[in-house]
């Protein structure tokens, strides 16, 4: 069974940082692109970033470029979203998802990131 | 404001057929396939339709998708109370990577 289990998230002040993690199981992790999608409270879905199987290609939403970074550890079947210089408008539930997008068969449970002073 | 445009709400009674629309442009729906998701409150989105009209295993055939030009539609026939959810369309955009619609909240009356 494919599982994506997320950790990280929490309350952070504007300008702060967090690392979100996504641990994968039930499939051959190093053969899939992986993605992050976020959802501000009460709003719609927004694609954030994705990373190629070997990490050699990464793409980001314009509004997070230079502030968010992606990495993956294929030996640990995990990938990560480092979120820096956080803004109030980054407040959202962040989901990890398997694939490059826009078709995601499998999603994580979500991690809430709240940016507030 | 979302790149793909969806009506914010729709409603229908049990047993009816309802259609949810998604409008885009030549750089997204016009040149790429469409994906549809269903999201129940407090849960992650669930894949309903991909490649514009294909259903993943386990999705009832009451759900169907279509695409014409720069617009796509999700149809739900034989509406059931458990179909009450928010539905999102998504597509690859040639200039912006992946884009979503704003979502349509479906109410089963």
């Amino acid at each position: 069974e494919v599982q994506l289990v997320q950790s990280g998230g929490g309350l952070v002040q504007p300008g702060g940082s967090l690392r979100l993690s996504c641990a994968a199981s039930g499939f051959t992790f190093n053969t899939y692109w992986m993605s992050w999608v976020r959802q501000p409270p009460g709003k719609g879905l927004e694609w954030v970033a994705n990373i190629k199987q070997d990490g050699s290609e990464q793409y980001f939403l314009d509004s997070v470029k230079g502030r968010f970074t992606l990495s993956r550890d294929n030996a640990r079947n995990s990938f990560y979203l480092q979120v820096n210089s956080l803004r109030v408008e980054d407040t959202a539930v962040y989901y990890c998802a398997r694939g490059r997008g826009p078709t995601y068969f499998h999603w994580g449970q979500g991690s809430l990131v709240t940016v507030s002073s | 404001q979302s790149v793909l445009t969806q009506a914010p709400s729709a409603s229908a009674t049990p047993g009816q057929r309802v259609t949810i629309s998604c409008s885009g442009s030549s750089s997204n729906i016009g040149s790429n396939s469409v994906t549809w998701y269903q999201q129940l409150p407090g849960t992650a989105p669930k894949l309903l339709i991909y490649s514009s009209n294909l259903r993943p295993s386990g999705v009832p055939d009451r759900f169907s998708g279509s695409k014409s030009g720069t617009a796509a539609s999700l149809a739900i026939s034989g509406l059931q109370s458990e179909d009450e959810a928010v539905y999102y369309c998504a597509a690859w955009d040639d200039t912006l990577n992946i884009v979503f619609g704003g979502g349509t909240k479906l109410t089963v009356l």
Side-chain angles (χ1 to χ4, degrees):
Chain A
E1 178 194 3
V2 172
Q3 284 196 314
L4 298 173
V5 178
Q6 298 181 222
S7 58
L11 174 63
V12 61
Q13 292 187 336
S17 299
L18 278 176
R19 188 174 88 152
L20 306 181
S21 302
C22 180
S25 61
F27 64 99
T28 305
F29 180 73
N30 63 8
T31 65
Y32 285 88
W33 281 74
M34 299 298 294
S35 299
W36 290 94
V37 175
R38 69 184 180 183
Q39 185 169 36
K43 297 190 177 180
L45 301 169
E46 181 177 53
W47 172 82
V48 174
N50 53 22
I51 182 169
K52 194 176 180 180
Q53 290 89 333
D54 61 359
S56 62
E57 292 182 38
Q58 301 177 20
Y59 300 93
F60 295 87
L61 180 69
D62 280 350
S63 63
V64 309
K65 282 179 184 175
R67 301 188 298 120
F68 290 13
T69 59
L70 278 172
S71 60
R72 62 189 294 163
D73 184 340
N74 287 341
R76 295 178 184 271
N77 290 342
S78 294
F79 83 120
Y80 311 95
L81 181 67
Q82 178 70 38
V83 295
N84 300 322
S85 302
L86 281 164
R87 305 168 180 169
V88 171
E89 56 265 32
D90 294 319
T91 294
V93 173
Y94 286 73
Y95 294 101
C96 64
R98 190 184 80 171
R100 185 174 187 178
T103 296
Y104 301 116
F105 280 79
H106 301 282
W107 297 67
Q109 82 276 18
S111 295
L112 176 61
V113 173
T114 304
V115 185
S116 174
S117 54
Chain B
Q1 186 152 346
S2 303
V3 174
L4 304 181
T5 301
Q6 297 182 243
S9 63
S11 63
T13 57
Q16 281 190 322
R17 173 185 168 95
V18 64
T19 300
I20 295 171
S21 298
C22 175
S23 176
S25 67
S26 58
S27 67
N28 42 66
I29 294 178
S31 52
N32 299 288
S33 62
V34 178
T35 299
W36 289 92
Y37 294 96
Q38 176 193 61
Q39 188 177 35
L40 300 172
T43 68
K46 172 190 173 183
L47 179 65
L48 273 186
I49 297 288
Y50 66 101
S51 296
S52 300
N53 60 7
L54 299 181
R55 281 187 311 277
S57 172
V59 173
D61 59 7
R62 302 186 295 105
F63 295 89
S64 62
S66 63
K67 189 189 92 163
S68 178
T70 59
S73 295
L74 171 71
I76 310 172
S77 60
L79 197 63
Q80 300 178 5
S81 58
E82 57 261 38
D83 298 333
E84 187 161 291
V86 180
Y87 293 85
Y88 294 93
C89 58
W92 181 270
D93 187 289
D94 295 338
T95 60
L96 299 172
N97 218 320
I98 291 139
V99 290
F100 285 89
T104 297
K105 179 174 173 56
L106 174 63
T107 300
V108 181
L109 300 170

